[in-house]
Amino acid sequence: MMGPAHSLSGAAAWLGVGAAAAGFGHPMPWPVLVVGALICAGAALAPDLDHKSATISRAFGPISRILCEIIDKLSYAVYKATRTKADPRRSGGHRTLTHTAVWAVLIGAGTSALATTGDRWAVLGILFVHLVLAVEGLLWRMARTSSDVLVWLLGATSAWILAGVLDRPGGGSDWLFTGDGQEYLWLGLPIVLGALVHDIGDALTVSGCPILWPLPIGRKRWYPLGPPKGMRFRAGSRVETKVLMPAFLVLGGVGGLGALELL
Ligand SMILES: [Zn+2]
């Protein structure tokens, strides 16, 4: 899928989690619902950091371009090192390592560790990166026509404001994990979810997605998971923009109302 569909599905997924959490007796304070949905929308672009023309690889100027090259090389190396004879030869790392559940869990755990052990700047940094991505994903065309610096400024100011709201009593920095020193542990959750939703979105497209690596399926370790061929669509096709994106909007709306216990 393309950036906007990925981001929208990420936001909708977090709102759905909000509804489920309310059902299980852990309702999200509204800042957790809003910030989580934005982080998840941003995190849903992150796996494409292995592709130089993806939104994320251009979102932070030279930093993301260099990171993209490193991730692409790393992914390709891991692919070559773990492929079986049945996995096809390939020339780059796109849709390999960063498109697996293992990767999603690793970056989510890494973010949670950073958020709980780091200081306020760590939280601000995590918010900033994902808010910039959320703007790029959700407001795709508008972000493209405005300058990068404006989007970064918007990301920085909203990160600052939202961190302030989360830090207030009842604001939700201690949502779900209430122990001492566990503030912001939950920040990893929208990041795992965003990456997984991205993988599922890609699995629906023609080339599939190796979500379950390194579990062997058939004789392949990088088996491109997906529905039967007839149910797949091309990235950026009408199915994506005319059917899936409106569906994500509706599902996200319903999830959001459920999360706020308004249904
Ligand atoms: Zn992808």
Side-chain angles (χ1 to χ4, degrees):
M1 295 200 294
M2 311 290 277
H6 279 307
S7 281
L8 208 51
S9 64
W14 184 256
L15 296 171
V17 167
F24 284 108
H26 293 283
M28 293 177 185
W30 71 264
V32 174
L33 190 67
V34 171
V35 174
L38 290 171
I39 291 182
C40 203
L45 297 179
D48 281 346
L49 192 53
D50 61 4
H51 193 292
K52 65 177 185 305
S53 60
T55 314
I56 180 170
S57 307
R58 295 174 311 164
F60 300 96
I63 299 175
S64 49
R65 271 200 302 279
I66 293 167
L67 198 58
C68 168
E69 269 176 43
I70 296 171
I71 294 287
D72 183 39
K73 297 236 157 58
L74 172 73
S75 305
Y76 185 46
V78 172
Y79 183 85
K80 275 199 299 193
T82 60
R83 69 182 269 265
T84 66
K85 287 204 174 67
D87 288 307
R89 278 179 197 289
R90 47 181 309 146
S91 55
H94 184 46
R95 280 202 183 182
T96 57
L97 183 61
T98 59
H99 285 67
T100 62
V102 170
W103 175 270
V105 171
L106 282 179
I107 53 161
T111 308
S112 282
L114 182 67
T116 46
T117 56
D119 56 8
R120 182 181 161 81
W121 289 102
V123 172
L124 283 172
I126 295 165
L127 289 182
F128 168 72
V129 168
H130 289 90
L131 289 170
V132 168
L133 291 176
V135 171
E136 298 267 3
L138 296 173
L139 304 176
W140 198 35
R141 291 250 150 65
M142 275 155 70
R144 282 202 167 174
T145 50
S146 64
S147 87
D148 280 354
V149 178
L150 273 182
V151 177
W152 298 337
L153 272 178
L154 180 62
T157 41
S158 8
W160 189 268
I161 292 167
L162 290 170
V165 175
L166 286 168
D167 274 335
R168 286 206 294 244
S173 62
D174 59 352
W175 174 70
L176 202 56
F177 302 97
T178 50
D180 248 356
Q182 295 182 347
E183 286 87 13
Y184 293 110
L185 193 57
W186 64 269
L187 278 185
L189 296 176
I191 289 175
V192 176
L193 185 67
L196 286 178
V197 167
H198 178 108
D199 296 347
I200 294 168
D202 276 355
L204 297 176
T205 62
V206 176
S207 40
C209 188
I211 302 175
L212 294 181
W213 173 86
L215 293 181
I217 300 177
R219 287 161 46 236
K220 295 181 177 176
R221 256 188 215 294
W222 294 92
Y223 185 86
L225 223 56
K229 286 272 184 279
M231 290 170 64
R232 301 187 185 194
F233 58 87
R234 276 183 195 291
S237 65
R238 288 175 67 86
V239 182
E240 185 174 317
T241 51
K242 297 284 187 288
V243 181
L244 290 178
M245 288 179 65
F248 296 150
L249 268 181
V250 172
L251 290 173
V254 173
L257 290 175
L260 294 170
E261 304 186 293
L262 295 173
L263 283 185

